[in-house]
């Protein structure tokens, strides 16, 4: 089915006969595959008698070779999939099968994209970035401290570099434009964090998505913010270079070397918030983060520190 899509991706008309000949199948088999493409991947295909078939909009697919060319100083191997349950899940399977780290898993779509706190991550075909970078961490918790916040900072800078200048951070690792989420990060870890472990840095960026009914929070995309269509290969290349830069700063100086920069880009600094931990809500004012990336809140006049993957923040109505 995707071979057919690759023939159509130029956005031009192709006759059923030519497509059938290229694939070695009949015209009616071409017709069936086209119907599958529309139903399965949500693509829109024009069918015009006498001219053939045309994708409603041309498509640029992920291309590991092109990514390597655009980011030649970043030689992390890329495993790219047309469709996968979750790039994080695939990364964990690849670690289990002995794939050497670092490496990247990318997909055109995810059928079970994972978000934080058990949520799903909307992952339509060929519209966004679904990216997992695997690192092997040796000898210590220090290398894990604040790591997800560092990834958030690298994602934010990548978006700004490509023109989304209002991108900012929300603790612990959301990237927002105003109140709307444009990117999310999910870290998953296997092994012994005090000894040798692997960490999967999962990044989802809303790139060219314009509509979805799958997201139950305020969201936006690079395209909605700028009116432009973005080249996802370029975005993946830029993200790799930015991650490389921030991860090496983190490795050399620990999170404390990045703490101040992170706080400067925190959109909710000084705001009145509720910290949500399951059914518990704690009201406070955001003071900032500590040298390990934990949230500092003023609660009833006293500074308290919070950390943990299951926590999330909401702005209070009076903020
Ligand atoms: C969040 O809820 O904010 C985190 C979303 C993380 C989504 C990305 S998409 C690539 C990677 N694979 C997944 O299944 N999830 C992460």
């Amino acid at each position: 089915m995707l071979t057919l899509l690759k023939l159509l991706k130029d956005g031009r008309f192709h006759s059923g006969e030519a497509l059938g000949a290229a694939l070695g199948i009949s015209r009616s088999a071409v017709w069936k595959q086209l119907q599958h493409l529309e139903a399965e991947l949500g693509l829109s295909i024009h069918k015009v008698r006498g001219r053939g078939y045309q994708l409603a909009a041309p498509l640029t697919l992920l291309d590991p070779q092109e990514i390597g060319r655009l980011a030649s100083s970043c030689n992390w191997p890329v495993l790219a999939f047309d469709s996968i349950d979750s790039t994080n899940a695939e990364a964990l399977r690849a670690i289990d099968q002995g794939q050497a780290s670092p490496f990247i898993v990318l997909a055109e779509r995810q059928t079970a994209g994972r978000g934080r706190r058990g949520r799903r991550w909307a992952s339509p075909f060929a519209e966004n970035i679904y990216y997992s970078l695997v690192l092997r961490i040796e000898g210590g918790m220090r290398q894990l401290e604040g790591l997800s916040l560092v990834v958030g900072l690298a994602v934010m800078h990548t978006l700004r570099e490509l023109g989304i200048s209002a991108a900012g951070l929300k603790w612990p690792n959301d990237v927002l434009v105003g109140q709307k989420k444009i990117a999310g990060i999910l870290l998953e870890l296997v092994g012994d964090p005090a000894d040798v472990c692997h960490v999967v840095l999962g990044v989802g960026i809303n790139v060219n998505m314009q509509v979805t009914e799958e997201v139950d929070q305020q969201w936006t995309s690079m395209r909605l913010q700028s009116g432009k269509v973005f080249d996802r290969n370029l975005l993946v290349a830029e993200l790799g270079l930015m991650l490389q830069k921030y991860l090496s700063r983190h490795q050399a100086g620990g999170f404390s070397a990045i703490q101040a920069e992170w706080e400067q880009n925190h959109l909710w600094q000084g705001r009145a918030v509720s910290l949500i931990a399951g059914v518990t809500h704690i009201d406070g004012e955001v003071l900032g983060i500590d040298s390990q990336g934990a949230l500092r809140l003023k609660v009833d006049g006293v500074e308290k520190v919070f950390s943990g993957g299951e926590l999330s923040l909401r702005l209070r109505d009076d903020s």
Side-chain angles (χ1 to χ4, degrees), residues 160-211:
R160 286 195 190 164
E161 208 171 78
L162 292 174
I164 311 299
S165 54
L169 300 169
K170 175 196 153 193
W171 190 88
N173 45 28
D174 286 350
V175 183
L176 307 183
V177 175
Q179 306 282 348
K180 297 178 179 172
K181 185 155 165 171
I182 194 164
I185 290 150
L186 178 69
L187 261 62
E188 299 192 55
L189 201 133
V190 276
D192 178 359
D195 185 16
V196 177
C197 67
H198 286 90
V199 61
V200 179
L201 312 175
V203 178
I205 304 177
N206 297 333
V207 185
N208 294 322
M209 183 163 79
Q210 291 183 285
V211 284

Side-chain angles (χ1 to χ4, degrees), residues 223-273:
R223 181 168 183 180
L224 288 174
Q225 286 303 311
S226 65
K228 289 194 231 155
V229 176
F230 287 85
D231 174 349
R232 291 174 307 137
N233 291 312
L234 177 65
L235 179 55
V236 170
E238 295 291 338
L239 177 62
L241 295 171
M242 198 63 84
L243 279 168
Q244 209 174 33
K245 175 171 147 189
Y246 274 88
L247 291 171
S248 57
R249 271 182 62 189
H250 181 240
Q251 199 175 22
F255 185 71
S256 52
I258 292 165
Q259 178 187 357
E261 185 186 342
W262 195 95
E263 277 186 342
Q264 280 154 19
N265 291 290
H266 191 205
L267 296 171
W268 289 13
Q269 206 66 9
R271 304 292 297 268
V273 295

Side-chain angles (χ1 to χ4, degrees), residues 85-89 110 112-117 119-121 123 129-132 173-174 181 183-186 188 201-205 217:
D85 50 354
S86 144
T87 55
N88 270 24
Q110 298 183 118
R114 301 174 181 169
R116 287 181 66 232
R117 300 186 301 130
R119 292 171 119 147
R120 284 175 77 92
W121 186 256
S123 309
I129 295 290
Y130 319 115
Y131 177 106
S132 299
N173 45 28
D174 286 350
K181 185 155 165 171
I185 290 150
L186 178 69
E188 299 192 55
L201 312 175
V203 178
I205 304 177
Q217 55 186 321

Side-chain angles (χ1 to χ4, degrees), residues 6-244:
K6 283 168 192 165
L7 294 172
L8 287 170
K9 76 182 169 68
D10 57 9
R12 298 207 177 129
F13 272 104
H14 296 261
S15 72
E17 204 175 344
L19 292 170
L23 295 173
I25 58 175
S26 68
R27 280 167 57 188
S28 68
V30 169
W31 169 253
K32 273 195 196 131
Q33 284 202 20
L34 288 166
Q35 282 180 315
H36 268 116
L37 278 178
E38 288 190 303
E40 271 243 354
L41 304 182
L43 296 168
S44 169
I45 298 166
H46 298 151
K47 306 165 188 87
V48 178
R49 194 178 282 275
R51 297 191 73 188
Y53 307 103
Q54 178 195 42
L55 271 184
L59 205 61
T60 307
L61 295 172
L62 294 169
D63 179 348
Q65 269 189 342
E66 173 73 352
I67 294 166
R69 197 184 62 74
L70 293 166
S72 54
S73 59
C74 178
N75 55 3
W76 296 328
V78 175
L79 313 178
F81 295 83
D82 293 326
S83 179
I84 198 93
D85 50 354
S86 144
T87 55
N88 270 24
E90 178 58 29
L92 291 167
R93 289 191 289 267
I95 295 166
D96 205 37
Q97 286 157 15
Q99 170 79 35
S101 307
F103 63 92
I104 294 167
V105 180
L106 285 180
E108 292 289 6
R109 74 161 178 169
Q110 298 183 118
T111 53
R114 301 174 181 169
R116 287 181 66 232
R117 300 186 301 130
R119 292 171 119 147
R120 284 175 77 92
W121 186 256
S123 309
F125 184 81
E127 293 190 6
N128 298 327
I129 295 290
Y130 319 115
Y131 177 106
S132 299
L133 167 65
V134 178
L135 302 176
R136 182 183 144 96
I137 309 270
E138 262 175 68
M141 298 292 285
R142 188 163 169 273
Q143 282 191 57
L144 293 168
E145 270 168 14
L147 185 57
S148 69
L149 282 76
V150 174
V151 176
L153 199 55
V155 172
M156 182 202 80
H157 280 301
T158 307
L159 297 186
R160 286 195 190 164
E161 208 171 78
L162 292 174
I164 311 299
S165 54
L169 300 169
K170 175 196 153 193
W171 190 88
N173 45 28
D174 286 350
V175 183
L176 307 183
V177 175
Q179 306 282 348
K180 297 178 179 172
K181 185 155 165 171
I182 194 164
I185 290 150
L186 178 69
L187 261 62
E188 299 192 55
L189 201 133
V190 276
D192 178 359
D195 185 16
V196 177
C197 67
H198 286 90
V199 61
V200 179
L201 312 175
V203 178
I205 304 177
N206 297 333
V207 185
N208 294 322
M209 183 163 79
Q210 291 183 285
V211 284
T212 178
E213 277 159 25
E214 278 184 67
V215 183
D216 59 0
Q217 55 186 321
Q218 289 196 75
W219 68 275
T220 188
S221 69
M222 296 173 74
R223 181 168 183 180
L224 288 174
Q225 286 303 311
S226 65
K228 289 194 231 155
V229 176
F230 287 85
D231 174 349
R232 291 174 307 137
N233 291 312
L234 177 65
L235 179 55
V236 170
E238 295 291 338
L239 177 62
L241 295 171
M242 198 63 84
L243 279 168
Q244 209 174 33

